[in-house]
Structures are given as C-alpha cells and as structure tokens.
Amino acid sequence: MGLNPVLATIKRNLPAVARSNGFEARVTSGFRSHAKQAWLYNRYLQGLQEYPVAPPGTSDHEKGLALDVVSTDTRKLVSLLTSVGLSWAGQADPVHFSLKARPASSGDEFQAPSTAQPGLFPVNVCTTCMHSWVTV
C-alpha cells in the first residue's frame, strides 16, 4: 500500500514551501503498517506518546491517507495545508492532517480550495481511483 501519492508529493515539498512562507515544518509520520499502529497505540495507552494515537484498524495512517507534521508556526501550517485540501484534526491532535478528497463541480478530479497558491503542491487527484499525477 504505502502513502497516497498526493501526500507523498506534499511530504516531499512541504519543508521548502514552509521555509518560503517564513516557518519550518517537518513530517514526522505518514503511512503506518498495522503493526506500527498497534505499537504506537500501546505506547499511547502507557502514556509514552505526546499526541493521540488511534486504535489499530481505525487510523488514516494505515490507509496512507494521513500525515503528522510538526512546525514552528501551527497557524501558518494549518492555513497552508488546509488551503491545498487537507483536513486538520484540530487542537486535540494538532500534528494530524488527512486527505479528504472532494469531487470537483464537473469531472472527477480532486479540487483544492480556491485559496490555494497555484503550483504550491502541483498535484491532481482522481477521486474515483485516488491516483495522482504531478502537473508541470
């Protein structure tokens, strides 16, 4: 399985894009196997994880549809990543962002909100098959 190609592109581009916007950002987690999710969840139950961890079998990380990101400016990070179509988990899990595809008004391509900066993360996504491709 692995990380969704859209998130892989965001993961690859995020540090440079964040720097160009005046802050630092680092992806700390992406795709997780069921075993890794179980290990992290057990650590969470023992109080050894700083952030919440979903039970195995329920996490978007296991589907390759989530990233955990730490940043020097959470407000700017949330603004940036939500502008390209990611959903933020909020203060309860401030590092968690997930891909929530929304159909376009016509056709079946993923549409980033109109506030997205052109070329920021140059990716199109087919919501039917969840394949992505980088645009030039």
Side-chain angles (χ1 to χ4, degrees):
M1 183 173 225
L3 190 60
N4 178 281
V6 171
L7 292 179
T9 299
I10 291 172
K11 179 181 177 182
R12 181 178 61 250
N13 294 339
L14 182 58
V17 172
R19 271 191 302 282
S20 74
N21 282 277
F23 68 103
E24 298 294 319
R26 181 173 53 91
V27 175
T28 60
S29 187
F31 172 76
R32 297 180 192 150
S33 67
H34 184 80
K36 176 74 171 193
Q37 188 70 27
W39 181 78
L40 288 170
Y41 184 66
N42 285 332
R43 287 180 49 84
Y44 171 68
L45 293 176
Q46 296 169 29
L48 301 173
Q49 290 296 124
E50 182 176 357
Y51 299 107
V53 179
T58 66
S59 174
D60 281 346
H61 287 282
E62 291 174 271
K63 301 170 193 163
L65 298 176
L67 296 173
D68 286 348
V69 184
V70 294
S71 172
T72 57
D73 191 323
T74 301
R75 183 189 57 76
K76 286 183 179 179
L77 177 69
V78 170
S79 178
L80 175 66
L81 292 181
T82 58
S83 78
V84 295
L86 298 188
S87 295
W88 181 48
Q91 289 298 328
D93 191 357
V95 300
H96 186 84
F97 295 85
S98 57
L99 180 65
K100 303 293 184 193
R102 293 180 304 276
S105 55
S106 63
D108 64 353
E109 285 185 11
F110 175 84
Q111 292 287 308
S114 59
T115 57
Q117 298 175 31
L120 186 65
F121 297 109
V123 176
N124 292 315
V125 182
C126 169
T127 58
T128 305
C129 58
M130 292 306 290
H131 287 180
S132 64
W133 57 96
V134 175
T135 57
V136 181

